[in-house]
Structures are given as structure tokens and as C-alpha cells.
Amino acid sequence: GGGGGGGGYSKSIISVTPGNSFNIVVGSGGAGGNAGAGAAGGNSTFNVTTVVANAGTGGGRGGNGTAGAGATAGTGTTLYTGGSGAAGVNGTGSGGGGGGAGSTGNGGIASGTTAGTGTALNGGNGGAGKSGVSSAGSIGNNYGGGGSGGFATAGTGERNGGAGAGGLVIITWAVPYYSQASGNPSTLSNWNSN
């Protein structure tokens, strides 16, 4: 089978009001194919649509299973795409999974059984494709690495694809501080946050 695509990366700086709450979703990895194509992963989101890191799609079924597409650019200020998986080659090997994007760039594209490389920081490598003996596909690595396709020799029956790795959401914030030259400390505007 074909390898799944890697997940994308999105980042934004958001102004918030103390006391407000926001929905945060960490995207799940796509399930490996079981007598069928692999499933797409789930998107990681902040406040539903404010920041969205898209997931990759699953690889196709069969000896010449199609490659899963890497994640397209999502929503945010800094955006990187996931690496595409590789197609399977009948009788030779299954496709490797695409690499997950990180904070410094796009995920790597898989080629043949060689998985795409995840990009620092926090982008996971794809799962390596299989060849030689019948075996299930390799799972993708944290975070966002695509799983590889399964591989079966003639007459041995289908093998499941490897699952993709889940996503990651990181929330950071500035810690306010006060200096004596800032004025009355009981006045909120006299506190600094950068």
C-alpha cells in the first residue's frame, strides 16, 4: 500500500482576555488501512478556526497503492505543510510515510520505502516502508509522521498499513513582571509582559 501524508504546522500570537476559555483539539493520527485505504488524521485546532494545523491523508490500498497527500497549509501566521507519502510498488515494497512539519519548515517527502523526515522542532519522521517479507506497515513518529503502507508477497494476503502519529498543541504565554521604575504596582498598565 501507499504511505500516509504527514501533518502540518501552524502558529499564531493571539490576544486574549483573562477569564475567557477556548476549545483546544489535538488531532489524532489516521488509522492504518485494514483491507482498504488508510484514514486521514485529525486536524489540531485552537478556538475551532482561529489556529488550525491540517492533517495528512491516508495512503491507498493495493500493491500500487497511491501516496497519501501531505497536509496543506492551515490557518495561522506561520504555516508549514506536511510531507507526502510515497506510492507502493507492486512486488517491490510499500510506500513510506511523509514527514510531519515542525516549527522550522515543511515535512519531508517520502520516496519509495524511505520515509519523509520530520522537521524540527516537533515534526515526526514518517514510518519506513516495507519490502522483502509480508508485514504490516510502520507507524508514524511523533508528532504528525505519516504511517507506511503494509506489504504482502504473492499469495500471503493483505497486511494492514501503519497508523499515523497524532498531533501536538503547545500554548505559551508572557509572564507579567514589575520594575520599580514602572510606577504604582497596583496599576495594571504598569506591569510589563515582554
Side-chain angles (χ1 to χ4, degrees):
Y9 174 92
S10 298
K11 175 184 176 180
S12 285
I13 298 175
I14 308 295
S15 296
V16 300
T17 301
N20 286 358
S21 60
F22 302 92
N23 290 323
I24 297 171
V25 175
V26 179
S28 59
N34 180 1
N43 297 340
S44 293
T45 63
F46 175 86
N47 196 33
V48 185
T49 59
T50 302
V51 184
V52 179
N54 289 328
T57 67
R61 176 187 183 185
N64 293 314
T66 56
T72 57
T75 305
T77 303
T78 302
L79 303 172
Y80 295 116
T81 59
S84 296
V89 178
N90 192 35
T92 300
S94 67
S103 61
T104 60
N106 301 326
I109 297 171
S111 176
T113 58
T114 302
T117 303
T119 304
L121 299 168
N122 295 316
N125 295 334
K130 300 289 187 173
S131 63
V133 297
S134 299
S135 57
S138 304
I139 62 173
N141 296 278
N142 289 333
Y143 296 93
S148 80
F151 177 75
T153 57
T156 61
E158 295 188 62
R159 296 294 189 271
N160 295 343
L168 174 70
V169 175
I170 298 176
I171 306 295
T172 61
W173 60 92
V175 178
Y177 65 93
Y178 173 79
S179 62
Q180 288 183 329
S182 298
N184 186 345
S186 64
T187 302
L188 184 60
S189 61
N190 290 335
W191 287 72
N192 302 291
S193 60
N194 53 13

